[in-house]
Amino acid sequence: MTKNEVVLNKNQSEVQEEGLEKLITLSRPVTVEDVTYTELVLDFENLTGADIEKAEMQFNAESPQNSIVMVKEMAKGFVAIVAAKAAGVHVGVIRKLSASDYSKVTMRTTLFLMGGK
């Protein structure tokens, strides 16, 4: 691991709890602002209602058309913002992921938003 490589995994045993996976190992590392990400931990349990509301406001502010989306939980842009909040990274990190990693992260986040664990 290089000095600028970040593994967002404080305690792997905490991440491997029952339910849907929280630790996402990236198939292709992504570097943003000289920090390389090889894994993301989606910590949904520490999100609050305020975090979801801020994500919705951010999503709506990105484009006026976003405000007419009825089910935000199904909109990839909104889901990417929530995933970033859960992972403790800037949404730019999520958006820079490979397509397969982006799909894995956003699908996991959608499942959480739709009532999964």
Side-chain angles (χ1 to χ4, degrees), residues 1-3 8 14 25 36 41 55 62 66 70 82 90 92 94 97-98 100 104-105 109:
M1 180 164 61
T2 66
K3 83 173 187 181
L8 297 175
E14 290 177 13
T25 301
T36 300
V41 175
E62 288 179 354
N66 288 346
M70 296 301 289
V82 174
H90 187 275
I94 304 299
L97 297 174
S98 68
S100 64
K104 188 185 305 182
V105 167
T109 304

Side-chain angles (χ1 to χ4, degrees), residues 35-75:
V35 178
T36 300
Y37 300 88
T38 59
E39 297 177 335
L40 295 173
V41 175
L42 300 174
D43 186 9
F44 298 117
E45 285 73 29
N46 285 321
L47 290 179
T48 64
D51 292 323
I52 303 299
E53 289 176 2
K54 287 177 187 174
E56 184 175 10
M57 286 187 286
Q58 182 178 344
F59 177 68
N60 289 340
E62 288 179 354
S63 171
Q65 293 175 334
N66 288 346
S67 64
I68 63 171
V69 174
M70 296 301 289
V71 183
K72 304 268 193 284
E73 293 81 1
M74 300 301 286

